[in-house]
Amino acid sequence: MDTGTGEAGGPEIAGTPTGQGRIILAATPIGNVGDASSRLVELLSTADIIAAEDTRRLHRLVQALGVTVSGRVISYHEHNEATKTVELLELVRSGKTILMVSDAGMPAVSDPGFRLVEGAVEAGLTVTAVPGPSAVLTALALSGLPTDRFTFEGFLPRKAGERSARLAELHDERRTMVFFEAPHRLEPMLRALHERFGPARRAAVCRELTKTYEEVLRGSLQELLQWAEGNEVRGEIAVVVAGAPAKEPGRPEDNVAAVNELVSQGIRLKEAVAAVAEEARVSKRELYSAVLAAR
């Protein structure tokens, strides 16, 4: 295992070797500028380099915080990540501290930053983080849906066919799912969720989190789709969807055909029964008896 410490088997440490710079991923407010941490404020004023997804948004943020930037500002976004990553890693090697910020929330989570972290890890350079606001966790916490296990799915594909294929993969997902979506695509997204998961599945649409017009709508996919159809939705959107309900155990006799299909493929009867029983969550003994009785 690559520990990043030079000690086999040890944990990865965020400490910085003497003479070497470091990369700091810093979470920025997702709406309310008052959520900026004191560490973020300090680093914005002291970092050697600030790699920003949008330099104009960075300028507005530091202006709102009353911060004077002393370091160099570099534009770092999805269209120049490949080339800029090489440049930034060289700056870290030369001893510079680079502060990475995205438009909102934590860099590298559905935002630029992953390539930089990946490159730093491969090069043995130090990466640490200043945690803070997260649209994913805020939406999850406000949704009223189970939070003990969840998955972040980001933006669904724009094309209907690709979106349908992705949702098919998530059809049996038991964990609560968190998505991002653009306001003008919310209605077709909710329609696709409605078609794949059914009208009764519980969900929440979280809009403009932490901002003046924050809104969280909770209900069935049917209710949320009807709301989206009748409203001009604006702002930044997170959609939280309940996971699939647990499957009810089937009856042994309902699975006889599946066992016979495996046997016809050359699998021994006992092995076929065991495989089907585990998948269908039925008793192996009862399924075996049902197969023999059907013969």
Side-chain angles (χ1 to χ4, degrees), residues 115-175:
R115 283 178 182 262
L116 186 59
V117 174
E118 181 183 43
V121 171
E122 290 178 355
L125 301 174
T126 300
V127 184
T128 186
V130 174
S134 165
V136 177
L137 296 181
T138 303
L140 177 68
L142 293 177
S143 69
L145 298 171
T147 60
D148 53 338
R149 298 179 67 228
F150 70 94
T151 173
F152 173 56
E153 296 297 328
F155 288 89
L156 288 172
R158 297 185 183 187
K159 294 182 178 179
E162 295 176 2
R163 182 172 59 224
S164 179
R166 176 75 62 81
L167 291 177
E169 295 174 359
L170 296 172
H171 184 267
D172 296 322
E173 176 59 66
R174 296 284 303 281
R175 296 169 293 181

Side-chain angles (χ1 to χ4, degrees), residues 181-293:
E181 192 51 276
H184 63 280
R185 292 198 300 268
L186 179 62
E187 183 182 330
M189 178 216 191
L190 289 173
R191 183 171 290 106
L193 293 172
H194 178 281
E195 292 172 356
R196 173 55 61 179
F197 299 147
R201 183 77 68 91
R202 305 300 295 175
V205 173
C206 306
R207 191 181 71 84
E208 293 290 86
L209 291 173
T210 77
K211 298 180 183 178
T212 302
Y213 298 104
E214 174 180 287
E215 185 176 26
V216 179
L217 295 105
R218 307 173 183 88
S220 67
L221 285 173
Q222 175 73 33
E223 293 168 331
L224 294 174
L225 176 58
Q226 290 174 343
W227 167 81
E229 290 173 336
N231 289 276
E232 183 182 355
V233 183
R234 297 181 180 180
E236 296 183 345
I237 306 289
V239 178
V240 188
V241 182
K247 291 182 178 179
E248 293 294 329
R251 300 183 304 167
E253 54 268 32
D254 293 336
N255 296 278
V256 170
V259 173
N260 290 333
E261 175 63 24
L262 292 179
V263 170
S264 71
Q265 297 173 17
I267 298 175
R268 295 175 58 188
L269 177 58
K270 286 187 177 181
E271 294 173 354
V273 167
V276 173
E278 182 177 2
E279 176 68 22
R281 300 202 303 138
V282 298
S283 162
K284 285 192 293 185
R285 181 177 59 80
E286 292 178 3
L287 179 55
Y288 188 84
S289 297
V291 171
L292 295 182

Side-chain angles (χ1 to χ4, degrees), residues 3-23:
T3 65
T5 66
E7 298 179 6
E12 187 166 346
I13 304 298
T16 307
T18 303
Q20 187 184 96
R22 59 177 177 160
I23 295 167

